[in-house]
Amino acid sequence: MSPRYAYYPGCSGLGSSLEYDTSTRAMCESLGVELVDIPDWNCCGSTPAHAVDHLLSACLAGRNLEIADGMAEERKLDGIITPCPSCLKNLKTTQRSLSDPEFRRKVEQVLGKPLRAGLPIKSVLQVVVEDLGVEALGRLVKTPLAGMRVVPYYGCIMVRPPRLMRFDDPENPMALDNLLRELGAEVLPFALKTDCCGAALGTVRKDVVARLSGRILDAAVEAGADAIVTACPLCQMNLDMRRPQINRANRSRHNLPVFYYSQLAGLASGQGEAATMMDKLCVSPRLLLNSLAQHTGERA
Amino acid sequence: MPSHPNVIDPAFTGEVQRESEQNLALCYQCGNCTAGCPVSFAYDYTVNQIMRLVQAGRKREALSSHAIWLCASCETCTTRCPNDIDVARVMDALRHMARREDMVSEKAVGAFWKSFLDSVEKHGRVYELGLMAAYAGRTGRMFTDVDLAPMALRKGKLGLKAHDIEKIAEIRGIFDRYREQQQ
């Protein structure tokens, strides 16, 4: 029987990372993973909630866990999955905190209902890599990303903290490396694969994001990459949409595109540029996609 | 470095310990957290110095530091602490306490988070355009990220309409009951 998960898209999936949400759904469908949206889901509170109060954070995340619990049996759900690492960290932190009975009592009081929160919670990436195996994605490849040199950028919290996330190696994760290789790309070693991009400080402290994201772009170019590939909406936004701010602050002229891994999975499996929403990227991947098409044409 | 009087509050260490659920006595100042912290360059106190201030009960310096607000919650310190202290959670706890004591040094960070949570309370989800407008109004930083607006709008990355959830009353109830519990 095909796996079936409660799906938590996260707020950015409705706006700034629409292409991530859309290509993730398409990837899951082609892999036979059924997604059941958590009905009427709400924001997990993200960084602001846990930085303001752990109880508030747990209550906002907890409402979603409670809704998923409610349909788990009837829909035979295997767990809850989300593409966003920040949502993932909040959902998993909440589940862990509920093991303290006193804390659970407070959360249930604020929610006004009991909470089970027993379903496993994973990232979409973890399900693809660990449960299905990257080979499953490899079998769907029609036009390999041959000749495309990429660096995988995981961001900080897809694999951290390790005792909470329980996925891959916290210092040198390989999930994206292996996945992208399976799609036919040339994956380059990247020392900054888990270094922070500046995260939520983009709006308030541009100097911090310009420096941290700038370092990642410098290192990617130095490694000889044509593109950066990520799995985090906030990392992608900082590296892509904030590129003019970063280039201005650092007097750099970086122009390499930043894809979501799910977009490249779609492209390699023949979904095309429109379906994978390549036009949503702020730094245009046009030249790279043209040369990829040429490369594929030559081989055919 | 800020020049606050070095008043020692012996109860402070215990309060941070309770709020963060971490045993702070385990920190022996190896400096691994600081070595890995990506935002160290912008801090007034490094992470291990913050830990030391907490151990020493120097409440005012710890809570009024800029560092606790510039921490990006990247979890590198927590990942690398040899004594398994969840250092990022300690930073969280210090932010909670600084807010309660009205000692927020990075006002803009505090204002951004407040605007974010207001948006969640109002709509159930984050409404990015409304959030930016509220933040600009609250801080007087009217031109924050306006340079990005044309691109964001062209790419459809800045929704013009809020996506209110259906049962918004449930979210308002959560915020109301949460506030009651805090009193």
Side-chain angles (χ1 to χ4, degrees):
Chain A
M1 213 179 63
S2 63
R4 186 186 290 155
Y5 289 95
Y7 182 67
Y8 184 78
C11 298
S12 63
L14 300 172
S16 55
S17 70
L18 189 64
E19 67 273 39
Y20 190 24
D21 181 63
T22 305
S23 57
T24 295
R25 289 174 189 272
M27 179 182 69
C28 288
E29 193 185 341
S30 62
L31 285 167
V33 175
E34 195 182 331
L35 302 178
V36 183
D37 279 45
I38 295 179
D40 208 36
W41 58 271
N42 62 276
C43 173
C44 70
S46 193
T47 303
H50 73 70
V52 164
D53 193 285
H54 288 148
L55 176 63
L56 178 62
S57 180
C59 294
L60 289 173
R63 178 176 175 272
N64 299 297
L65 299 181
E66 195 271 331
I67 299 173
D69 278 342
M71 61 179 191
E73 215 164 302
E74 195 196 324
R75 303 298 304 267
K76 297 190 170 53
L77 299 177
D78 294 301
I80 301 172
I81 60 175
T82 178
C84 173
S86 184
C87 299
L88 180 71
K89 188 177 100 173
N90 276 351
L91 296 173
K92 285 180 81 89
T93 301
T94 299
Q95 186 176 50
R96 182 178 67 179
S97 303
L98 289 168
S99 61
D100 172 2
E102 174 63 17
F103 187 77
R104 174 184 285 266
R105 192 187 56 76
K106 283 189 192 165
V107 173
E108 291 181 338
Q109 208 167 31
V110 172
L111 277 181
K113 3 184 132 160
L115 247 181
R116 266 172 294 167
L119 287 169
I121 305 168
K122 295 178 185 177
S123 64
V124 175
L125 181 65
Q126 186 173 13
V127 167
V128 172
V129 172
E130 285 185 353
D131 299 355
L132 306 172
V134 289
E135 307 76 26
L137 212 48
R139 284 193 286 275
L140 300 173
V141 172
K142 292 199 182 86
T143 50
L145 308 176
M148 194 192 267
R149 287 167 302 174
V150 298
V151 286
Y153 178 58
Y154 296 76
C156 350
I157 55 176
M158 180 60 92
V159 290
R160 288 176 178 173
R163 278 182 303 165
L164 179 69
M165 300 318 253
R166 298 185 182 282
F167 172 47
D168 213 335
D169 184 313
E171 299 293 356
N172 185 23
M174 289 301 288
L176 273 181
D177 293 67
N178 296 336
L179 185 152
L180 293 166
R181 210 164 276 135
E182 196 70 25
L183 300 179
E186 184 185 340
V187 183
L188 305 167
F190 191 44
L192 270 58
K193 54 165 80 163
T194 60
D195 278 32
C196 182
C197 67
L201 290 169
T203 302
V204 280
R205 287 291 300 256
K206 294 190 199 326
D207 55 325
V208 173
V209 170
R211 173 139 163 185
L212 297 182
S213 286
R215 240 169 36 137
I216 290 159
L217 292 167
D218 291 344
V221 169
E222 212 166 292
D226 300 320
I228 297 176
V229 187
T230 185
C232 170
L234 193 49
C235 297
Q236 203 279 344
M237 180 157 79
N238 281 339
L239 292 170
D240 182 51
M241 190 161 32
R242 293 195 182 280
R243 184 73 58 87
Q245 295 177 338
I246 296 166
N247 276 340
R248 218 165 27 236
N250 300 338
R251 295 168 189 256
S252 55
R253 303 172 78 169
H254 292 311
N255 62 356
L256 74 172
V258 186
F259 297 103
Y260 288 106
Y261 80 93
S262 48
Q263 286 182 291
L264 292 184
L267 197 67
S269 65
Q271 280 173 23
E273 289 181 27
T276 51
M277 292 187 153
M278 291 297 175
D279 62 330
K280 288 275 174 192
L281 302 179
C282 296
V283 177
S284 171
R286 190 69 271 139
L287 286 174
L288 182 57
L289 294 178
N290 285 350
S291 76
L292 182 72
Q294 210 172 13
H295 202 102
T296 312
E298 279 165 17
R299 282 168 5 113
Chain B
M1 294 263 168
S3 56
H4 296 303
N6 301 337
V7 183
I8 290 174
D9 179 345
F12 180 57
T13 314
E15 286 163 21
V16 178
Q17 199 142 307
R18 264 193 305 283
E19 179 103 19
S20 66
E21 300 166 302
Q22 303 301 308
N23 182 358
L24 301 168
L26 291 174
C27 172
Y28 50 43
Q29 290 290 314
C30 71
N32 239 345
C33 48
T34 296
C37 176
V39 204
S40 268
F41 72 92
Y43 285 0
D44 46 358
Y45 294 102
T46 59
V47 194
N48 68 299
Q49 284 175 330
I50 294 281
M51 293 296 283
R52 198 59 168 164
L53 287 172
V54 175
Q55 287 175 324
R58 281 159 66 166
K59 179 175 180 175
R60 207 186 151 75
E61 289 149 291
L63 294 190
S64 64
S65 71
H66 289 260
I68 58 174
W69 299 97
L70 298 177
C71 157
S73 300
C74 77
E75 307 278 353
T76 307
C77 49
T78 297
T79 302
R80 295 183 185 167
C81 176
N83 291 330
D84 288 336
I85 302 172
D86 190 340
V87 185
R89 201 168 168 87
V90 174
M91 298 295 265
D92 252 359
L94 293 172
R95 292 187 278 242
H96 303 166
M97 296 166 81
R99 277 184 87 90
R100 290 202 293 266
E101 308 254 348
D102 201 17
M103 290 167 85
V104 179
S105 283
E106 287 280 328
K107 300 277 184 247
V109 178
F112 184 69
W113 290 349
K114 175 87 172 63
S115 305
F116 187 101
L117 292 173
D118 284 352
S119 183
V120 176
E121 181 170 4
K122 205 164 158 191
H123 306 290
R125 292 174 191 163
V126 174
Y127 167 40
E128 288 161 334
L129 191 63
L131 161 64
M132 293 309 293
Y135 168 75
R138 189 168 268 137
T139 56
R141 296 185 177 190
M142 304 314 285
F143 299 105
T144 301
D145 284 339
V146 288
D147 54 325
L148 300 181
M151 173 65 93
L153 288 171
R154 198 162 65 241
K155 295 285 179 185
K157 291 203 165 209
L158 199 56
L160 295 175
K161 270 183 20 206
H163 299 264
D164 287 19
I165 70 167
E166 271 171 48
K167 295 177 183 160
I168 187 64
E170 287 188 14
I171 301 297
R172 308 236 168 105
I174 287 174
F175 275 88
D176 287 345
R177 287 189 293 274
Y178 160 72
R179 284 193 199 99
E180 280 163 28
Q181 275 220 3
Q182 295 312 100
Q183 279 157 16

